[in-house]
Amino acid sequence: MTKLIAHRPFSYLVNTSVYRKLYARRIHKEIAKIEAGGIYVNIETTNACNADCLMCPHSKMKRSPGIMKEEIFRSIVDSAAESGLRIREFVLSGFGEPFADKNILDRIAYVKARGPYYVKIFSNASLLTTEKTEKLLTSGLDEIVISFNGITKEVYESVMKLPFEKSLQNVLALLAARSRKWEGGGQGTKVRGRKTEDRGQAKQKPKIVLSCVRLADNKAEVAKFNAFWKGKADAVLKPIPENWSGSMEQDSPWKYDIKGRLWPCRGMWDTLDFTWDGKTILCCRDYDGRVIIGDIKNEAVKDILARKRAMGTRQLEHGDFSDAKICKSCDTMNKNNINWL
């Protein structure tokens, strides 16, 4: 039976005129906080990936595979650092496996050299080696979120099409290597993040988070997944799958169920997403770059952000999604009706 993340009675409530007026007022207040709080800069250094996950649209991608040129990467980082904007996070991930980029660890170090920025990556960990693990621990990386969508060989390999034993060994080796490093006298650090925030406590770096997307294929293993990694990893996530702007019908017992007026995402004000060729796409779910809003080769980060925020204002004030039509079929837009609260 499908578990509705947002139930229908709430759907009726959010579509009343009184609620919409109050909700718009609330969003305006939140926007002021967001603009003062800083932005997230997501940089896809490569869109090449060695996995073929059931819930991911990578196999549908029509964009050419590539690895970001160093001058483009540095242009993005430098422009962001010199923009005068507060940078909450640099996320060096997109629609690819970061370790498919042989320069990823040097690029993490470059961001850290530009300032005390929080740097995060998303990885399946299957390409880690002993050498890469050791270098990762000294790169300055603050957080790694590891996609590990099953806890048995049969389920993991059916979902991700990667070798279970190798991936598991790599994750456990990373955890062990980090423990050895910090037991040797390393200092803790305060870590933060959107969903795994844990301010005020000293933690070993990098923060290691295990994530398992809840699917029909692995639903029987979600509890076992949580039990296995709890106490080993710093956090365990169990997100529900998204429909990637309406391009995928996900086979999952968990669904979002809100219909009605669209509200703009928070990301219209606080996030910029760069593809490996330097273009800025509308959001991290626009895997094929259907809506391009900028290009770092021609303009600065601050100017691209101003354009995106203007688009968000039109969406909020006039319900105008004409320049972002992919939003209309995105279930994450439904989720954002709740996330603004």
Side-chain angles (χ1 to χ4, degrees), residues 180-194:
R180 288 193 301 271
K181 177 178 184 294
W182 291 98
E183 286 172 0
Q187 298 297 313
T189 183
K190 292 181 180 180
V191 297
R192 59 182 170 83
R194 263 182 177 161

Side-chain angles (χ1 to χ4, degrees), residues 2-225:
T2 297
K3 298 179 181 179
L4 301 180
I5 304 302
H7 297 282
R8 291 193 181 280
F10 187 77
S11 301
Y12 298 140
L13 173 63
V14 300
N15 288 307
T16 63
S17 59
V18 173
Y19 181 90
R20 289 198 297 268
K21 184 176 181 179
L22 293 173
Y23 198 67
R25 188 179 302 170
R26 171 60 182 265
I27 291 177
H28 276 293
K29 292 181 179 179
E30 288 297 308
I31 289 172
K33 294 179 184 178
I34 289 171
E35 292 180 342
I39 66 170
Y40 300 83
V41 180
N42 300 335
I43 306 175
E44 174 193 79
T45 70
T46 181
N47 65 340
C49 188
N50 62 324
D52 186 17
C53 300
L54 295 178
M55 64 291 185
C56 179
H58 194 276
S59 62
K60 297 175 177 288
M61 186 186 300
K62 296 177 182 178
R63 285 193 293 132
S64 299
I67 296 177
M68 182 174 281
K69 293 180 179 179
E70 189 65 19
E71 57 266 32
I72 292 178
F73 176 78
R74 294 194 177 197
S75 291
I76 297 169
V77 176
D78 294 347
S79 182
E82 296 163 7
S83 66
L85 297 164
R86 181 187 173 202
I87 311 298
R88 290 182 61 87
E89 289 182 5
F90 279 99
V91 182
L92 305 192
S93 297
F95 283 98
E97 166 53 44
F99 289 101
D101 171 12
K102 66 180 182 180
N103 296 316
I104 186 62
L105 296 173
D106 292 330
R107 289 174 168 179
I108 292 169
Y110 181 82
V111 177
K112 299 299 286 189
R114 284 293 324 217
Y117 298 116
Y118 193 89
V119 182
K120 179 194 297 186
I121 63 172
F122 291 80
S123 171
N124 59 48
S126 66
L127 297 179
L128 282 177
T129 62
T130 300
E131 181 181 359
K132 289 178 182 177
T133 295
E134 293 300 325
K135 190 173 181 180
L136 182 151
L137 294 175
T138 59
S139 66
L141 182 68
D142 293 283
E143 182 175 346
I144 178 171
V145 181
I146 299 174
S147 299
F148 206 93
N149 298 290
I151 203 59
T152 62
K153 176 180 174 66
E154 179 183 5
V155 171
Y156 175 90
E157 293 187 353
S158 69
V159 174
M160 300 188 68
K161 310 299 188 296
L162 290 173
F164 174 74
E165 291 89 351
K166 175 61 175 173
S167 299
L168 178 61
Q169 176 186 351
N170 288 350
V171 178
L172 294 176
L174 172 61
L175 288 164
R178 187 188 66 167
S179 294
R180 288 193 301 271
K181 177 178 184 294
W182 291 98
E183 286 172 0
Q187 298 297 313
T189 183
K190 292 181 180 180
V191 297
R192 59 182 170 83
R194 263 182 177 161
K195 298 297 184 183
T196 57
E197 197 161 17
D198 193 13
R199 287 189 175 91
Q201 297 183 13
K203 296 287 185 181
Q204 298 177 348
K205 285 180 61 177
K207 182 175 186 179
I208 300 174
V209 180
L210 269 291
S211 175
C212 177
V213 178
R214 290 179 281 173
L215 303 167
D217 299 72
N218 63 16
K219 66 179 181 180
E221 295 196 357
V222 172
K224 293 179 182 178
F225 176 90

Side-chain angles (χ1 to χ4, degrees), residues 225-239:
F225 176 90
N226 189 70
F228 182 84
W229 290 112
K230 188 176 181 181
K232 295 183 179 71
D234 298 309
V236 178
L237 304 179
K238 301 177 289 293

